[in-house]
Amino acid sequence: MAVNTSADAPIPVGEVSRLIGGWIDRLGAVWVEGQITQLSRRPGAGVVFLTLRDPSYDISLTVTCYRAVFDKVADVISEGARVVVHAKPEWYAPRGQLSLRAAEIKPVGVGELLARLEQLKKSLAAEGLFAADRKRPLPFLPQLIGLVCGRASAAERDVLENARLRWPAVRFEVRNVPVQGVHAVPQVMAAVKELDALPEVDVIVVARGGGSVEDLLPFSDEQLVRAVAACRTPVVSAIGHEPDSPLLDLVADLRASTPTDAAKKVVPDVGEEQARIQQLRERALRSVGGLLDREERGLASALARPAIERPHRMVDEREEQVAAVLERGRRTLAHLLDRADSELTHTLARVVALSPAATLRRGYAVLQHEDGSVVHSPEDVAPEEELRARVADGEFAVRALVTPPA
């Protein structure tokens, strides 16, 4: 329950400690798993003190137990061992410390570790963290490689030396961290996240030499696996030897069987690339040479054709035909023009013969009224009417003197 306090009505430290102890006393016993980081057995003392640590979250609790409880497992556990403890939380009021009073301690055997890892593996696989479509391809030639490994370790030496033998210009950003023990998981996670945050890092290699199942256990930690899955930079796992398979191998974008194998997979071999370039150059030269030879043969074949060898021969052969056709066309046109001229002359003669002017030249005249109308009959002429007489060479006026007959 909440305690009503204020600046004017505080409660003593002892009362606060008593209340906390009361709340903790109401908690039941629990089974707790962790790794022993400190173990204190004083001669003659009836109580053994242990520090139990959670590697994933970097949290520790003090555990106390009677010597009789610890003596049952004293021969099989030591500092660094993983254990399961059945304990009840206790509050030590004089010092304000929380601890666990252990009633039973069980070592976690290899079989149990493997079973838990298998269960964790199935759970993470169900989430899709190991799916192949999440794997990102490595860059062909990384400019900067991030390396997470133990300080002055054989894994570091193998990766650096083999990578530089393959590609001397390769550069590394190295983070030395513990690769086993209680501090391995948080520091490896921090190093991976730090390298992943650097935009110039193209690929991250997590490397460690071989070891027992317990030694490689940090690389199967759930928090580390999730941290690697969240990386934007491709990650290569090079943990242990070929038979070793921590969960980090499954979530990484590429698994290398050894640190040396990681160096071979991350950077290309300069000698092999030079040989490949030489092969490509030779293949290109052969292809271009073959193309030029084929085109040269085609050009020679085309130039050997009669139409190309003597391009004017066809024109010469057709010249006489063109001249004959031209001459025939001229004769035909002249004949047509002569015939048209003759027809035009005859037509003109007929037109002239039938022309009224020709009639007038034969002595005839045309009488017209003043309005220009032609006199067709004597009845059309009024007495004394002035008329115009049109002859071949002109016209003149006349007067009608005779009265037309009735």
Side-chain angles (χ1 to χ4, degrees):
M1 296 178 60
V3 179
N4 294 323
T5 61
S6 66
D8 297 328
I11 60 176
V13 173
E15 181 65 15
V16 173
S17 180
R18 186 188 65 81
L19 292 173
I20 294 175
W23 294 330
I24 292 176
D25 285 341
R26 288 196 290 270
L27 297 176
V30 293
W31 286 98
V32 182
E33 180 185 358
Q35 189 172 19
I36 298 176
T37 59
Q38 291 183 352
L39 177 60
S40 176
R41 290 184 293 175
R42 299 174 183 175
V47 178
V48 178
F49 294 90
L50 304 90
T51 299
L52 203 61
R53 186 183 185 88
D54 186 339
S56 300
Y57 295 97
D58 198 14
I59 297 175
S60 300
L61 280 176
T62 300
V63 178
T64 61
C65 66
Y66 292 113
R67 180 172 291 274
V69 174
F70 183 79
D71 287 344
K72 296 179 182 179
V73 293
D75 296 334
V76 293
I77 65 172
S78 60
E79 290 187 0
R82 297 181 70 92
V83 295
V84 175
V85 178
H86 189 237
K88 186 179 185 305
E90 289 186 346
W91 179 255
Y92 186 60
R95 295 184 181 178
Q97 292 180 345
L98 175 66
S99 63
L100 298 176
R101 170 70 68 172
E104 185 178 358
I105 300 176
K106 290 184 176 182
V108 178
V110 174
E112 294 176 275
L113 286 176
L114 294 178
R116 294 182 186 181
L117 288 180
E118 186 63 26
Q119 184 178 3
L120 177 59
K121 176 181 175 181
K122 293 180 180 179
S123 175
L124 296 177
E127 296 182 27
L129 295 186
F130 305 152
D133 56 2
R134 296 185 71 256
K135 310 294 184 183
R136 290 157 296 188
L138 302 186
F140 169 71
L141 182 59
Q143 299 300 311
L144 183 63
I145 301 173
L147 176 61
V148 180
C149 59
R151 184 179 302 278
S153 62
E156 178 181 8
R157 184 179 63 255
D158 290 345
V159 173
L160 296 180
E161 290 182 357
N162 284 279
R164 286 168 178 158
L165 285 174
R166 293 174 62 83
W167 198 271
V170 67
R171 296 185 299 120
F172 280 91
E173 188 74 20
V174 181
R175 295 292 182 271
N176 294 122
V177 296
V179 290
Q180 69 182 56
V182 295
H183 300 290
V185 173
Q187 294 199 30
V188 171
M189 287 176 54
V192 169
K193 291 179 179 179
E194 181 182 354
L195 293 174
D196 184 51
L198 298 177
E200 60 270 21
V201 173
D202 298 321
V203 63
I204 300 173
V205 178
V206 182
R208 186 202 188 282
S212 64
V213 174
E214 292 86 349
D215 293 338
L216 301 181
L217 197 60
F219 298 97
S220 293
D221 185 85
E222 180 179 358
Q223 299 304 315
L224 177 58
V225 170
R226 293 188 181 277
V228 171
C231 286
R232 63 169 183 82
T233 308
V235 177
V236 176
S237 174
I239 307 301
H241 302 298
E242 181 65 35
D244 300 321
S245 182
L247 298 185
L248 183 64
D249 286 351
L250 302 178
V251 74
D253 298 287
L254 179 68
R255 177 194 181 257
S257 57
T258 62
T260 300
D261 183 49
K264 294 179 179 179
K265 291 182 176 179
V266 170
V267 294
D269 183 84
V270 63
E272 294 177 358
E273 296 305 317
Q274 289 176 343
R276 185 176 292 110
I277 291 173
Q278 183 62 30
Q279 292 174 359
L280 293 175
R281 291 180 61 185
E282 293 174 356
R283 187 192 307 173
L285 288 174
R286 289 195 300 270
S287 299
V288 173
L291 177 62
L292 291 177
D293 291 342
R294 185 171 62 251
E295 295 300 322
E296 185 177 8
R297 290 193 299 270
L299 181 59
S301 176
L303 292 176
R305 295 178 181 177
I308 301 300
E309 188 178 12
R310 295 179 55 194
H312 296 287
R313 188 178 67 173
M314 185 180 296
V315 177
D316 296 338
E317 291 175 353
R318 296 291 185 266
E319 183 178 7
E320 294 181 1
Q321 298 179 7
V322 172
V325 171
L326 180 61
E327 182 61 28
R328 185 172 60 186
R330 287 175 177 173
R331 289 196 305 269
T332 301
L333 180 60
H335 176 70
L336 292 175
L337 291 176
D338 291 343
R339 187 172 61 183
D341 182 66
S342 176
E343 291 178 354
L344 182 60
T345 302
H346 288 92
T347 301
L348 179 61
R350 288 195 300 270
V351 170
V352 171
L354 297 176
S355 171
T359 303
L360 293 179
R361 280 195 292 272
R362 290 200 299 271
Y364 291 94
V366 178
L367 296 178
Q368 294 176 309
H369 296 287
E370 290 293 332
D371 59 1
S373 60
V374 178
V375 178
H376 295 92
S377 174
E379 297 176 353
D380 296 337
V381 180
E384 302 297 329
E385 180 182 358
E386 289 188 359
L387 302 173
R388 286 184 299 167
R390 184 176 180 182
V391 294
D393 294 332
E395 61 180 28
F396 55 88
V398 296
R399 186 184 299 277
L401 299 179
V402 183
T403 300

